[in-house]
Amino acid sequence: MASNSIHQELQDQGPGEEEQYGRHGGHITSPLLRPPSSPEITPDCEVAEEWEENSPVEQVALTVPVGDDPGAPVLTFRTWVLGAASCALLSFLNAFFGYRKEPLTITAVSAQIAVLPAGRLMAAALPDTAFLRGTRWEFSLNPGPFNVKEHVLITIFANAGAGAVSGVRVMTAARIFYGRQQMPFFVALLVILTSQVMGFGWAGMFRRYLVEPPAMWWPSNLVQVSLFRALHEMERRRKDSLTRNQFFLVAFVCSFAYYIFPGYLFQMLTSLSWICWMFPNSVIAQQIGSGLHGLGIGAIGLDWSSISSYLGSPLASPWVATANVAAGFFIFVYIITPINYWFNVYKARNFPIYSDGLYRVTGQKYNISSIMDSQFHFDTDAYEENGPLYISTFFAFSYGLGFACLTATVSHVLLFHGSEIWQLSKSAFQEKKMDIHTKLMQRYNQVPEWWFICILVASVAVTMFACENYIEQLQLPWWGVLLACALAIFYTLPIGIIKATTNQAPGLNIITEYIMGYLYPGRPIANMCFKVYGYSGSHQALEFLQDFKLGHYMKIPPRAMFMAQVTGTLIAGSVYLGTAWWLMDTVPNMCNKELLPADSLWTCPNDHVFYDASVIWGLIGPHRMFGDLGTYSAVNWFFLGGAVAPLLVWSAHKAFPAQKWIVHVNVPVLIGTTSMMPPGTAVNYTTWILIAFLSGHMVYKYRRDWWERHNYLLSGALDAGLAFMAVLLYLCLGLENITFNWWGNDLDGCPLASCPTAKGIAVDGCPAHY
């Protein structure tokens, strides 16, 4: 069906259009989407012969080109210069904007657009003189026209700078929240770099399972693939329509111009909570209607940065994944949370209905420094004197869902993908049918396994050295490093399968905190470091594998990919840490909400959640929170519930095979929907679900031609326009601290949503209930 649709599209474009589809920056590659009816004009005959072996995933077949030009230069001087520069710039911007009240992620799409004119300018201006002529290292500053493979590899560099660097949050928590200003920069750099590159080892192990199989299609990659095609393929404009380039430009300009409203002039567009406006004096109504501090019923966000900030672009979400996310969000936020709150489970009404704060039973914020000794270890006597720590019931149950998601991930993958994994392990693709993309990639030399093993061994050795020699600063013993690696190895494959097929990935952060909190309690920094190595190692592996799949789609030689990823990762980690260190030294009271001005942007929501977790799991420990000494011991039953739930779905599928919808119930995605809450808020989900439904179901089903040409381009244009305007606003207004104060910039407009409702609980700024 895909090939027929594409063939019809090419016929509709008029004579001569097919011949232009394969042009990439001046190089005529094999035609990207040509049916086998014209083999005589196909430079790569294998493409025509294997047309029927295109990807079985329809979105991939409609989006990804099936041609290749193996002679196109890839690792050129332009690639290194533009790749390193874009990686460094994105790392700086994301580290900088990551501390904001509404964290902003500058995606690699922005660099993908910006480097194209730079690459073509270098191709036009640089001399073509060859250096080191006659050696294996021979290169030219200008090997010819700027081609799509160079562009893809530069974007791979940029992807390294666009991803999160979890190790920086350890340093932020240690220096700001725990006051350990003596943390050496060198120690911090070792933690950052080793935690970032360690994931290469796991990535090397699981390439055959998560990159080569066609079913592992990594939906978010299609946004970048679609944009590459729009930027490099010559296309004649149809009558009464726009070319892909023209559509992208229009959408980009609109996104760029629009973001000045939610970004500066009318910030309430981030969350329009109309129920709060109707009931300005009602705590209950504002708890129900607030999109930022409540359940978000009726709230809608008209800010793309808010919509895509936690779940990624809704335009890249498959409809099945969207349905699971919507079901999970509705059940947890609109059914479980209100029931628990109004029945006062775990004294829920003493605290806000939605909060990541740490409280005393009286509803006041807990003074964490009062239960630590001078060595930043837990003080049992002080804790007994201060009383137990409480968290909102929403926060407690979000941890429970995290427990369930971990066991559900393993159970789901074994039940629904176990036989496939076993077959891949036995045959290593020898008996498996490959799609055209995997066949085309066989012409390139693969990355030897020992490259990955060397990086893994070296990073583990350096990590153990750092932990043993700087035990006072990091608190993590050598055995903790090995245990974190074991967890990362165990979970990378099951989480990767879910990520590669649904665009959603459950995290390892909770299980790493839980295990280390039991094994090594009272040491919060050790707990954070263990989480970074256990969680970040797996997360980074998935980032590398996703980039490998992008290179797989665009036919980039794997060894060039490997070199770009390693270099980009080292650059990104160094720049991230340098930026964070500079901000911590120059911004007064950064992350301290009590001392910052009310309109300050430097509130660090992600870092607050990271710090709160270190207190719960590392300082006080799960034994006193979720164990027999704790208030929330019943939450441990979620582990069992998560393991059983996929078995129920699998059994229902076997019992009722005619009910096709049952097999689409993805329990890890459904349960793990709210894993980003907090810091994610209700409005981040409600608007995301609405747009994902319109794109992935309505438009995909009823306007397939429009979806095929424009859906992923629109996603990239919205990302890029927002990013460029956000940077411009900061440079022009933020640096001068020029603000615009009026009611339209009062985010959410629900000041009472964070108030408790229990009788006798008095909190500043909230009405008392008696």
Side-chain angles (χ1 to χ4, degrees):
M1 182 172 67
S3 59
N4 292 335
S5 171
I6 297 163
H7 191 191
Q8 183 62 46
E9 176 187 326
L10 292 174
Q11 288 179 330
D12 290 343
Q13 290 171 2
E17 183 58 22
E18 291 185 18
E19 284 74 18
Q20 299 182 47
Y21 252 71
R23 295 186 180 273
H24 289 266
H27 290 274
I28 301 179
T29 68
S30 55
L32 298 180
L33 289 173
R34 190 192 310 281
S37 57
S38 305
E40 68 279 4
I41 56 173
T42 305
D44 191 341
C45 293
E46 185 181 15
V47 175
E49 294 171 0
E50 304 297 344
W51 177 264
E52 296 302 328
E53 297 180 9
N54 203 338
S55 175
V57 179
E58 187 172 17
Q59 291 93 330
V60 176
L62 292 172
T63 306
V64 180
V66 295
D68 185 24
D69 178 11
V74 182
L75 270 178
T76 64
F77 175 77
R78 295 184 297 242
T79 301
W80 286 110
V81 172
L82 295 177
S86 59
C87 177
L89 181 59
L90 257 66
S91 301
F92 170 78
L93 292 174
N94 282 310
F96 187 87
F97 287 114
Y99 289 103
R100 296 188 349 152
K101 181 185 297 182
E102 284 291 322
L104 176 64
T105 299
I106 312 297
T107 66
V109 171
S110 306
Q112 188 176 354
I113 297 164
V115 300
L116 181 61
R120 288 178 173 168
L121 178 62
M122 293 177 74
L126 289 177
D128 58 1
T129 307
F131 295 87
L132 304 178
R133 190 183 298 276
T135 70
R136 61 179 299 187
W137 307 107
E138 180 179 343
F139 73 96
S140 170
L141 298 182
N142 190 353
F146 185 67
N147 67 74
V148 68
K149 292 196 176 186
E150 291 177 284
H151 198 180
V152 172
L153 207 56
I154 292 169
T155 305
I156 298 299
F157 264 107
N159 278 342
V165 180
S166 300
V168 171
R169 304 206 188 284
V170 177
M171 304 308 139
T172 304
R175 295 193 67 196
I176 293 179
F177 298 114
Y178 288 112
R180 304 199 74 171
Q181 294 293 333
Q182 74 276 19
M183 175 74 73
F185 182 86
F186 174 70
V187 176
L189 185 63
L190 286 181
V191 172
I192 300 298
L193 296 184
T194 53
S195 63
Q196 289 295 102
V197 302
M198 196 176 286
F200 275 109
W202 326 141
M205 293 179 186
F206 299 116
R207 282 178 301 165
R208 67 176 56 182
Y209 303 100
L210 296 174
V211 175
E212 295 179 6
M216 302 294 115
W217 60 290
W218 299 88
S220 61
N221 276 338
L222 301 188
V223 175
Q224 291 185 320
V225 172
S226 183
L227 184 52
F228 281 125
R229 293 190 57 198
L231 294 175
H232 286 272
E233 292 176 2
M234 303 294 292
E235 181 182 3
R236 182 180 302 162
R237 186 172 71 87
R238 298 179 182 181
K239 185 179 180 180
D240 299 325
S241 67
L242 300 175
T243 66
R244 288 182 174 91
N245 265 320
Q246 290 170 336
F247 175 83
F248 177 84
L249 183 61
V250 170
F252 170 80
V253 171
C254 291
S255 174
F256 177 82
Y258 175 77
Y259 187 68
I260 194 172
F261 294 99
Y264 183 70
L265 295 177
F266 194 11
Q267 296 177 16
M268 189 178 281
L269 291 172
T270 297
S271 177
L272 297 171
S273 305
W274 58 271
I275 292 180
C276 298
W277 309 340
M278 296 178 62
F279 303 96
N281 299 315
S282 171
V283 173
I284 294 175
Q286 295 198 18
Q287 286 180 333
I288 292 172
S290 173
L292 298 181
H293 306 289
L295 303 182
I297 294 178
I300 188 170
L302 302 179
D303 176 2
W304 184 251
S305 69
S306 175
I307 295 168
S308 61
S309 55
Y310 294 104
L311 293 172
S313 172
L315 300 177
S317 178
W319 164 237
V320 171
T322 300
N324 280 279
V325 169
F329 174 79
F330 181 86
I331 293 169
F332 179 54
V333 177
Y334 292 156
I335 298 178
I336 295 177
T337 297
I339 290 174
N340 282 299
Y341 190 80
W342 297 113
F343 280 94
N344 207 30
V345 177
Y346 296 135
K347 302 186 184 298
R349 299 180 66 177
N350 290 23
F351 320 110
I353 192 170
Y354 171 84
S355 173
D356 62 350
L358 309 177
Y359 299 98
R360 304 169 73 96
V361 71
T362 58
Q364 307 297 321
K365 291 292 182 69
Y366 207 102
N367 181 10
I368 301 303
S369 61
S370 66
I371 57 173
M372 288 190 299
D373 61 21
S374 58
Q375 300 300 314
F376 297 92
H377 293 167
F378 181 67
D379 188 329
T380 306
D381 294 335
Y383 187 71
E384 298 275 344
E385 182 179 343
N386 281 273
L389 180 142
Y390 281 83
I391 57 180
S392 71
T393 303
F394 180 96
F395 201 7
F397 273 78
S398 70
Y399 275 129
L401 290 177
F403 300 163
C405 188
L406 289 165
T407 52
T409 298
V410 177
S411 180
H412 173 87
V413 170
L414 289 177
L415 289 169
F416 288 93
H417 300 278
S419 60
E420 179 183 349
I421 293 172
W422 176 247
Q423 289 299 324
L424 288 173
S425 299
K426 289 196 305 180
S427 66
F429 293 101
Q430 293 174 11
E431 301 172 4
K432 288 286 183 179
K433 184 177 180 180
M434 296 179 286
D435 68 354
I436 184 61
H437 306 294
T438 302
K439 287 196 171 186
L440 288 174
M441 287 300 290
Q442 287 185 316
R443 61 163 51 110
Y444 298 107
N445 292 327
Q446 296 298 313
V447 180
E449 294 290 337
W450 67 267
W451 288 16
F452 294 102
I453 294 173
C454 286
I455 287 184
L456 176 60
V457 171
S459 60
V460 171
V462 172
T463 302
M464 294 175 66
F465 165 81
C467 290
E468 285 299 301
N469 284 273
Y470 299 98
I471 189 69
E472 292 186 5
Q473 287 83 5
L474 301 179
Q475 299 183 339
L476 183 65
W478 64 269
W479 54 265
V481 178
L482 298 181
L483 182 58
C485 292
L487 280 173
I489 292 175
F490 180 76
Y491 268 104
T492 295
L493 181 58
I495 292 177
I497 290 174
I498 294 171
K499 173 72 171 176
T501 54
T502 69
N503 211 35
Q504 303 296 324
L508 285 180
N509 51 321
I510 292 177
I511 193 64
T512 53
E513 295 163 336
Y514 192 100
I515 291 174
M516 198 60 179
Y518 262 113
L519 295 179
Y520 210 50
R523 296 168 176 83
I525 298 177
N527 194 278
M528 289 189 292
C529 289
F530 184 81
K531 176 168 67 172
V532 164
Y533 285 109
Y535 161 70
S536 186
S538 175
H539 176 77
Q540 282 298 113
L542 297 183
E543 293 293 319
F544 298 142
L545 289 164
Q546 181 167 319
D547 282 347
F548 265 116
K549 190 68 175 188
L550 177 60
H552 186 83
Y553 283 150
M554 300 304 294
K555 317 305 178 293
I556 306 298
R559 297 189 179 191
M561 283 283 300
F562 179 88
M563 295 175 67
Q565 286 178 300
V566 172
T567 307
T569 301
L570 295 176
I571 293 173
S574 303
V575 174
Y576 250 94
L577 179 61
T579 305
W581 212 267
W582 165 63
L583 288 173
M584 286 185 275
D585 287 340
T586 55
V587 177
N589 302 315
M590 191 172 84
C591 305
N592 192 328
K593 296 178 182 178
E594 285 72 26
L595 299 179
L596 285 170
D599 60 348
S600 175
L601 294 175
W602 304 103
T603 57
C604 319
N606 289 316
D607 297 273
H608 270 282
V609 174
F610 200 88
Y611 162 71
D612 291 346
S614 74
V615 172
I616 294 170
W617 302 102
L619 183 64
I620 298 174
H623 189 54
R624 289 184 172 84
M625 290 292 295
F626 296 95
D628 53 5
L629 299 179
T631 306
Y632 307 100
S633 58
V635 174
N636 288 293
W637 285 102
F638 278 84
F639 280 116
L640 178 60
V644 171
L647 179 60
L648 298 178
V649 175
W650 183 82
S651 300
H653 169 59
K654 294 298 183 182
F656 306 100
Q659 301 296 320
K660 301 298 184 183
W661 65 270
I662 296 177
V663 75
H664 295 306
V665 177
N666 191 309
V667 174
V669 174
L670 192 150
I671 293 176
T673 291
T674 54
S675 62
M676 295 304 298
M677 297 180 70
T681 59
V683 74
N684 299 132
Y685 282 73
T686 54
T687 313
W688 185 95
I689 290 169
L690 175 62
I691 295 177
F693 168 74
L694 293 175
S695 167
H697 180 66
M698 300 299 293
V699 179
Y700 182 75
K701 183 176 181 180
Y702 298 108
R703 290 295 305 275
R704 182 72 58 86
D705 56 338
W706 190 97
W707 186 96
E708 178 186 338
R709 290 175 59 83
H710 300 310
N711 181 72
Y712 294 124
L713 280 182
L714 178 60
S715 177
L718 291 172
D719 284 345
L722 180 153
F724 283 111
M725 176 55 79
V727 173
L728 183 64
L729 286 174
Y730 179 77
L731 294 177
C732 296
L733 302 172
L735 287 175
E736 301 298 326
N737 198 28
I738 300 174
T739 58
F740 189 55
N741 296 318
W742 70 299
W743 65 265
N745 279 348
D746 179 14
L747 285 176
D748 206 32
C750 305
L752 303 181
S754 297
C755 292
T757 58
K759 293 181 178 180
I761 300 297
V763 176
D764 291 343
C766 296
H769 297 267
Y770 296 100

